[in-house]
Amino acid sequence: MGNVAVIGSQWGDEGKGKIVDWLSSRADVVVRFQGGHNAGHTLVIDGVEYKLHLLPSGIVREGKLSIIGNGVVVDPWALLKEIENVSEKGVKVTCDSLKVAENVNLILPVHQKVDQALEAARGKSMIGTTGRGIGPTYEDKVARRGIRLCDLTEPDILKEKVKNLLVHHNALLKGLGAETIDPDWLYNELMDIAPKILPFTAPVWKILDEARKQNKRILFEGAQGLMLDVDHGTYPFVTSSNTVAGNAASGAGVGPKTVGYVLGITKAYTTRVGTGPFPTEQINEVGETLGRRGHEFGTTTGRKRRCGWFDAIMVRQAIKVGGIDGLALTKLDVLDGLEEIKICVGYELDGKKLDYYPAGQSAQANVTPIYETMPGWSESTRGARSWAELPPAAIKYVKRLEELVESTVTLLSTSPERDDTILVQDPFFV
């Protein structure tokens, strides 16, 4: 028995919500360790759909402890609104079931204004952010001017920190032609929300250490995907945090040995939201078909996802860089009925063949995928719960993906429903 970290192996939207929810039935503690409310994890339980952005997926399971780690950036207003939303659907969220690290950095209204103003100023060179202030908050964290949750317990220090923070951001907003923020207004807003959010505060590193000593199973829940990692992704079209499994330790406040098995969530094809390179994108009927069948719209933004064939080179790179031990393959059923299916098995750039995805921005945009074609299947895979229920051609497709990415499929998801899952190996018992 051990702990499990779940990360995305593509550009996010791989179906982490369902897999984390499925795994949380075996866990005692579920921890979010990076990102903000730009994440979007959709769960479907007994026909009820839950769309989570900040709350760990374990929150919908009674008796599980949910933790928001220090590596997450938290919009306190968004968090309280999300708690209200899930409460209306019958999920009871209390100070005993949810703990927020006292040292998380807070997303403030000024961060959202700066995020949106900067993105507008970029024009055609926009990064494609959600405009929710995640990037500017991480910038403030690194620049050591951020406001942390624990600061709300020290009003005098908070007032000074807010003033110093706005010296920087108001100058930037003024330069961008945007309205500035009044320090007193922001301070009063924070003091108003403090009594509502502070009851959830805790030294979560200590709670996790106690859970480890008691041999409790901990599930570390990542957001976005590895190709959006600020170091290893398609920079600068990336998120503002590290999405690799290595960040589960620092983002939760545990030692690296605590993380355990790393499960990479991988879609049976590829999608991306927003701008940035996408070698296997299909701007044609194939892409439209995948998007329509897969209901490919961002959980957070509602933006239509770009769709394309499976990129084995990219996923293999994500596995090696991200420390992934095994895969959870999702949305295989979206490929049902296609006469043929293509897989990217290499790239060509300036007449040379590459077996990896290069780091340069121009190189990433200009690689040409080299495809291998496999026969599709006419039978349905939707709802299958055993290998015996899958068409032979679908099994061959999965096995070929395993060969190409040099890893094994630990879980196979065949619909959004929790139990429509083929378990090859339980990650908690590897």
Side-chain angles (χ1 to χ4, degrees), residues 208-322:
L208 289 170
D209 183 58
E210 291 168 356
R212 180 186 61 81
K213 290 176 181 177
Q214 296 168 13
N215 291 320
K216 291 186 176 180
R217 298 180 203 165
I218 304 171
L219 183 60
F220 298 92
E221 179 181 7
Q224 290 90 39
L226 197 134
M227 297 314 296
L228 290 174
D229 185 277
V230 69
D231 284 309
H232 302 288
T234 49
Y235 191 91
F237 306 99
V238 293
T239 193
S240 302
S241 60
N242 286 111
T243 60
V244 295
N247 196 28
S250 60
V254 300
K257 292 181 181 178
T258 303
V259 174
Y261 188 92
V262 181
L263 183 66
I265 315 301
T266 308
K267 195 176 286 186
Y269 50 101
T270 310
T271 61
R272 177 167 197 164
V273 171
T275 53
F278 186 170
T280 65
E281 182 176 14
Q282 298 296 298
I283 309 175
N284 51 30
E285 183 57 32
V286 170
E288 289 295 323
T289 298
L290 294 174
R292 184 174 61 254
R293 291 182 180 178
H295 305 290
E296 297 295 355
F297 294 90
T299 302
T300 298
T301 63
R303 289 182 292 182
K304 185 178 179 181
R305 296 176 186 141
R306 300 153 63 190
C307 299
W309 296 118
F310 188 89
D311 192 330
I313 300 303
M314 190 174 291
V315 172
R316 184 174 67 199
Q317 190 162 320
I319 287 168
K320 296 180 185 300
V321 172

Side-chain angles (χ1 to χ4, degrees), residues 167-410:
V167 167
H168 172 83
H169 284 304
N170 276 341
L172 181 57
L173 287 169
K174 189 174 181 180
L176 292 169
E179 186 180 355
T180 58
I181 299 285
D182 177 51
D184 291 333
W185 173 83
L186 181 54
Y187 171 78
N188 290 332
E189 288 291 301
L190 286 168
M191 292 308 297
D192 181 61
I193 203 169
K196 303 170 188 175
I197 196 75
L198 284 175
F200 295 101
T201 309
V204 301
W205 66 268
K206 190 171 184 296
I207 294 171
L208 289 170
D209 183 58
E210 291 168 356
R212 180 186 61 81
K213 290 176 181 177
Q214 296 168 13
N215 291 320
K216 291 186 176 180
R217 298 180 203 165
I218 304 171
L219 183 60
F220 298 92
E221 179 181 7
Q224 290 90 39
L226 197 134
M227 297 314 296
L228 290 174
D229 185 277
V230 69
D231 284 309
H232 302 288
T234 49
Y235 191 91
F237 306 99
V238 293
T239 193
S240 302
S241 60
N242 286 111
T243 60
V244 295
N247 196 28
S250 60
V254 300
K257 292 181 181 178
T258 303
V259 174
Y261 188 92
V262 181
L263 183 66
I265 315 301
T266 308
K267 195 176 286 186
Y269 50 101
T270 310
T271 61
R272 177 167 197 164
V273 171
T275 53
F278 186 170
T280 65
E281 182 176 14
Q282 298 296 298
I283 309 175
N284 51 30
E285 183 57 32
V286 170
E288 289 295 323
T289 298
L290 294 174
R292 184 174 61 254
R293 291 182 180 178
H295 305 290
E296 297 295 355
F297 294 90
T299 302
T300 298
T301 63
R303 289 182 292 182
K304 185 178 179 181
R305 296 176 186 141
R306 300 153 63 190
C307 299
W309 296 118
F310 188 89
D311 192 330
I313 300 303
M314 190 174 291
V315 172
R316 184 174 67 199
Q317 190 162 320
I319 287 168
K320 296 180 185 300
V321 172
I324 293 171
D325 296 303
L327 304 178
L329 192 66
T330 65
K331 292 200 168 184
L332 182 67
D333 57 298
V334 174
L335 301 178
D336 292 353
L338 294 180
E339 290 186 12
E340 62 178 31
I341 301 170
K342 293 184 178 181
I343 307 169
C344 176
V345 296
Y347 302 125
E348 188 173 306
L349 179 65
D350 298 329
K352 296 180 181 179
K353 290 186 177 180
L354 298 178
D355 62 355
Y356 68 97
Y357 196 43
Q361 185 173 339
S362 177
Q364 289 184 344
N366 291 306
V367 293
T368 300
I370 300 170
Y371 288 115
E372 176 180 301
T373 302
M374 295 190 69
W377 53 90
S378 57
E379 307 95 321
S380 173
T381 63
R382 188 174 179 83
R385 299 184 182 182
S386 71
W387 287 105
E389 297 177 56
L390 294 177
I395 295 175
K396 287 181 181 178
Y397 178 71
V398 174
K399 294 301 180 184
R400 182 56 179 151
L401 296 188
E402 289 181 323
E403 292 173 0
L404 291 168
V405 303
E406 299 177 13
S407 188
T408 57
V409 172
T410 298

Side-chain angles (χ1 to χ4, degrees), residues 13-22 39-45 48-53 55 57 60 89 221 295 297-300 305 331 415-418:
D13 305 310
E14 300 96 348
K16 289 185 292 295
K18 172 200 167 166
I19 301 298
V20 172
D21 171 61
W22 191 88
H41 293 171
T42 302
L43 317 179
V44 180
I45 303 168
V48 180
E49 186 176 76
Y50 302 90
K51 294 189 176 183
L52 305 180
H53 303 281
L55 291 171
S57 296
V60 300
K89 294 188 176 184
E221 179 181 7
H295 305 290
F297 294 90
T299 302
T300 298
R305 296 176 186 141
K331 292 200 168 184
S415 94
E417 291 294 334
R418 175 188 288 169

